[in-house]
Amino acid sequence: MSEPVVPVAIGPDRPAPTLVEKAVVEGGAVVSDLDEARGLIWVGKPADFPPLPESVEWVQLPAAGVEDWFTAGVFARYPKVRFTSAAGAFAASVAEHALMLLLAGVRYLPEHLRADSWRQQDFFPHVGSLRGKTVTIVGAGGIGRALIPMLTPLGAHVIAVTRSGHPITGPDIPDSVETVSTDQLGKVWSRTDHVVVAAPATPETRHLIDADALSRLKPSSWVINIARGPLIDTDALVAALSSGVIGGAGLDVTDPEPLPDGHPLWTLPNVIITPHDSNPPQLRLAAFADHVAANVSRFVAGRELLAPIDPRRGY
Amino acid sequence: MSEPVVPVAIGPDRPAPTLVEKAVVEGGAVVSDLDEARGLIWVGKPADFPPLPESVEWVQLPAAGVEDWFTAGVFARYPKVRFTSAAGAFAASVAEHALMLLLAGVRYLPEHLRADSWRQQDFFPHVGSLRGKTVTIVGAGGIGRALIPMLTPLGAHVIAVTRSGHPITGPDIPDSVETVSTDQLGKVWSRTDHVVVAAPATPETRHLIDADALSRLKPSSWVINIARGPLIDTDALVAALSSGVIGGAGLDVTDPEPLPDGHPLWTLPNVIITPHDSNPPQLRLAAFADHVAANVSRFVAGRELLAPIDPRRGY
């Protein structure tokens, strides 16, 4: 007896993006037209969202934040359909970028790249390692959480700072990871070697990394920001970098952003700027396809879906 | 009842290096004079090796390769004493350096560091990720093996190339890691996205990465060498880098080494040179201290020691 075929449509485009078609097949379903589909992978905008036939039980949306779909009334129109977002799908690429910035800083890569001769003795004392060092991740949502299992195999100790302070757990999170609540943030700086800023931008988190926080770090500390520019007080950061209060900064986001030509952050030798490109378009599609494959496979098997949207909670 | 105290001496210096003293205590022993010690952590040379009292059961040596201690006859003099080397202790730092070079290459860091304006659209298409990519590690001794659990959490697939091709196993090695034998090397290039060279330098491994191997890689492939310069044919590498046959190279070792001023590798935009500083002196001491702590703790608990020297095998 052959297994039942699960038809899943992709919209609005036919031909659909190849990676997404492959993901549907990889997940164990077959790509079908919408009018016979049990699932729909929607890669378009809310405004173009199609009328759903009765057969559709599940819709995968392409964004991590789905405010626009609420505004468009999509969920209210289909109360019996399960919707999933792409929340979590894009975290890994940004976390990898944060790891790259941190390692490049700690291992003194900017100065290496300026060299045109073999300056081994000059460089030796400046090459550091994450082994045995404490990395404080401020904000442990998708990105911060994804970064933890990338750091611990390097022998780094991780302190995760979250709003609640509830311990972060999971099969890929070692027991040694500490979680502290945001209101205890002032107490972790003295134990911190490096900081990764991964918190959402809210009025409360504006200038979370200010002159006072920077002054409690070490002359070897690197500060990485892959979240939002305003989480760091830029003037205080420039002062700390210029005076050697901290070791350096790796910034995928800045305040102001884009960073204007001639800004001091462009010329400080201990700064790495990447222009908010930690998750570029071609990686987004691949990450979305991975997420689709995982959810199709769960749908086919009748298992719980990743990133379910709860219309009552609003996300 | 208090637990029995295990006395461990450190030589030849008193005061001993602080990190090593801390490691002995961390491992659960107490630092003692040699004449009452059950263990000795020796941080000096073979020529200065002291006469051992009857009480000493175990000696930790400071080097990974212990040919000089054989030559000096140390092991023959104390056939009842267990000796351990520092083999494996220094692998983690070099593996971390390899990861840094690979990530910096894949994420297009050299060009980012030359920018002094917000070139997001220029950079987007060049920012890659290790997720879903295949990294071939040529040589899976201490360094190559240490690199595997640093790569797999990033979603990279690892092919380890070893002399025997026997599967590499261990609690930190995922089942998905493939092992192939060196004589199958020609067959892995078509499946390889990036290469890390981590093999010993022998007559057989000279120019293991030659024009032919490079030609089978991808225009996006990065080649990382943290082993020995002659494993790569430098002229072929320069040609492949200049013509876009591969994406880039991250080199902690070169041939010739030191790389002379004016060499083309200094000016190619897709090359990262670090002057054999992946394991600088201050990291070596810290890594040795970690090794000491682990072995003291095993000694105190009566467990098997790390890196035991077998005088009959000669290493």
Side-chain angles (χ1 to χ4, degrees), chain A residues 125-143:
Chain A
H126 300 284
V127 175
S129 165
L130 291 180
R131 182 154 299 267
K133 300 298 181 184
T134 296
V135 178
T136 296
I137 303 176
V138 181
I143 296 166

Side-chain angles (χ1 to χ4, degrees), chain A residues 1 20 51 54 60 66 79 87 96 101 110 112 122 126 136 138 178-179 183 194 215 223 236 278 290 312:
Chain A
M1 201 179 82
V20 176
E54 285 286 330
Q60 170 67 54
V66 290
E96 181 187 304
L101 291 171
H112 279 91
D122 291 353
H126 300 284
T136 296
V138 181
E178 273 180 79
T179 314
D183 57 5
H194 306 289
S215 73
V223 174
S278 61
D290 285 348
R312 286 158 306 179

Side-chain angles (χ1 to χ4, degrees), chain B:
Chain B
M1 201 179 82
S2 63
E3 298 195 0
V5 164
V6 176
V8 170
I10 303 171
D13 297 311
R14 294 298 300 265
T18 313
L19 277 178
V20 176
E21 272 197 310
K22 280 174 67 175
V24 168
V25 174
E26 197 188 315
V30 293
V31 178
S32 76
D33 288 332
L34 181 57
D35 56 12
E36 52 178 347
R38 289 180 52 201
L40 167 63
I41 314 300
W42 185 250
V43 296
K45 294 173 188 172
D48 306 325
F49 197 76
L52 294 182
E54 285 287 330
S55 60
V56 170
E57 303 158 33
W58 162 57
V59 176
Q60 170 68 54
L61 299 177
V66 291
E67 303 86 348
D68 297 351
W69 270 267
F70 273 99
T71 311
V74 169
F75 309 126
R77 226 178 301 153
Y78 300 104
K80 289 180 185 166
V81 172
R82 284 181 288 164
F83 287 87
T84 53
S85 76
F90 308 122
S93 180
V94 182
E96 180 187 305
H97 200 83
L99 178 67
M100 184 277 291
L101 291 171
L102 181 56
L103 280 175
V106 164
R107 293 214 163 239
Y108 206 51
L109 194 61
E111 195 63 28
H112 279 92
L113 280 167
R114 282 187 285 269
D116 58 3
S117 70
W118 192 263
R119 295 170 50 195
Q120 188 187 56
Q121 296 300 319
D122 291 354
F123 290 167
F124 264 160
H126 300 284
V127 175
S129 165
L130 291 180
R131 182 154 299 266
K133 300 298 180 186
T134 297
V135 178
T136 296
I137 303 175
V138 181
I143 296 165
R145 206 195 169 291
L147 181 58
I148 295 173
M150 300 179 181
L151 284 170
T152 51
L154 301 173
H157 176 63
V158 172
I159 301 178
V161 181
T162 67
R163 216 172 335 181
S164 70
H166 293 317
I168 296 171
T169 55
D172 54 350
I173 306 288
D175 293 340
S176 63
V177 171
E178 272 181 80
T179 314
V180 304
S181 61
T182 313
D183 56 4
Q184 301 294 304
L185 189 58
K187 296 186 185 160
V188 304
W189 296 138
S190 64
R191 295 197 290 133
T192 296
D193 291 294
H194 306 289
V195 183
V196 177
V197 180
T202 67
E204 291 79 41
T205 60
R206 185 182 148 80
H207 289 192
L208 198 67
I209 309 294
D210 57 8
D212 179 60
L214 292 165
S215 74
R216 294 161 187 246
L217 295 173
K218 303 181 170 70
S220 54
S221 295
W222 274 71
V223 174
I224 308 301
N225 191 357
I226 42 71
R228 288 289 181 264
L231 286 154
I232 300 182
D233 177 343
T234 299
D235 292 341
L237 180 67
V238 169
L241 290 164
S242 309
S243 59
V245 164
I246 63 168
L251 307 173
D252 189 52
V253 292
T254 58
D255 179 25
E257 184 175 315
L259 194 67
D261 290 357
H263 194 282
L265 286 173
W266 285 121
T267 45
L268 280 165
N270 49 350
V271 173
I272 305 172
I273 307 277
T274 60
H276 213 147
D277 60 13
S278 62
N279 190 23
Q282 75 279 11
L283 295 187
R284 268 175 243 167
L285 182 61
F288 179 65
D290 285 348
H291 186 74
V292 166
N295 254 352
V296 166
S297 139
R298 283 161 178 259
F299 181 67
V300 167
R303 287 163 54 211
E304 199 184 345
L305 299 173
L306 298 173
I309 296 165
D310 182 342
R312 287 157 306 177
R313 282 186 315 181
Y315 59 90

Side-chain angles (χ1 to χ4, degrees), chain A:
Chain A
M1 201 179 82
S2 64
E3 298 197 359
V5 163
V6 177
V8 170
I10 304 172
D13 298 310
R14 293 300 297 264
T18 314
L19 277 178
V20 176
E21 272 198 310
K22 281 175 66 178
V24 168
V25 174
E26 197 188 316
V30 292
V31 178
S32 76
D33 288 332
L34 181 57
D35 57 12
E36 53 179 345
R38 288 180 52 201
L40 167 63
I41 314 299
W42 185 251
V43 297
K45 293 173 188 170
D48 305 325
F49 198 76
L52 294 181
E54 285 286 330
S55 61
V56 171
E57 304 159 33
W58 161 56
V59 176
Q60 170 67 54
L61 299 177
V66 290
E67 303 86 349
D68 298 350
W69 270 267
F70 274 99
T71 312
V74 169
F75 308 125
R77 226 179 300 154
Y78 300 104
K80 288 180 186 166
V81 173
R82 283 182 288 163
F83 287 87
T84 53
S85 75
F90 308 123
S93 179
V94 181
E96 181 187 304
H97 200 84
L99 178 67
M100 183 277 292
L101 291 171
L102 181 56
L103 280 173
V106 164
R107 292 212 164 242
Y108 205 54
L109 193 61
E111 194 64 26
H112 279 91
L113 280 167
R114 282 187 285 269
D116 57 3
S117 70
W118 193 263
R119 296 170 50 196
Q120 187 186 58
Q121 296 301 321
D122 291 353
F123 289 168
F124 264 161
H126 300 284
V127 175
S129 165
L130 291 180
R131 182 154 299 267
K133 300 298 181 184
T134 296
V135 178
T136 296
I137 303 176
V138 181
I143 296 166
R145 203 193 171 291
L147 181 59
I148 295 173
M150 300 180 180
L151 284 170
T152 50
L154 301 171
H157 175 63
V158 172
I159 301 177
V161 181
T162 68
R163 215 175 331 185
S164 70
H166 292 317
I168 296 171
T169 56
D172 54 351
I173 306 288
D175 293 342
S176 62
V177 171
E178 273 180 79
T179 314
V180 305
S181 61
T182 313
D183 57 5
Q184 302 293 306
L185 189 58
K187 297 189 184 158
V188 303
W189 297 137
S190 62
R191 295 197 290 134
T192 297
D193 291 295
H194 306 289
V195 184
V196 178
V197 179
T202 67
E204 291 78 42
T205 59
R206 187 182 146 81
H207 290 193
L208 198 65
I209 308 294
D210 56 9
D212 179 60
L214 292 165
S215 73
R216 294 161 188 245
L217 295 174
K218 302 180 170 67
S220 54
S221 295
W222 274 71
V223 174
I224 308 301
N225 191 358
I226 41 71
R228 288 289 182 265
L231 286 156
I232 300 182
D233 178 342
T234 299
D235 292 341
L237 180 67
V238 168
L241 289 163
S242 309
S243 59
V245 164
I246 64 169
L251 308 173
D252 189 52
V253 292
T254 58
D255 179 24
E257 183 175 314
L259 194 67
D261 289 359
H263 193 283
L265 286 173
W266 285 122
T267 44
L268 281 165
N270 49 349
V271 173
I272 305 173
I273 306 278
T274 61
H276 210 145
D277 61 13
S278 61
N279 188 24
Q282 76 279 11
L283 295 187
R284 264 175 245 168
L285 184 61
F288 179 65
D290 285 348
H291 185 75
V292 166
N295 254 352
V296 166
S297 142
R298 284 162 178 258
F299 181 66
V300 167
R303 285 163 54 212
E304 200 183 343
L305 300 172
L306 299 173
I309 295 166
D310 182 342
R312 286 158 306 179
R313 281 187 314 182
Y315 61 88

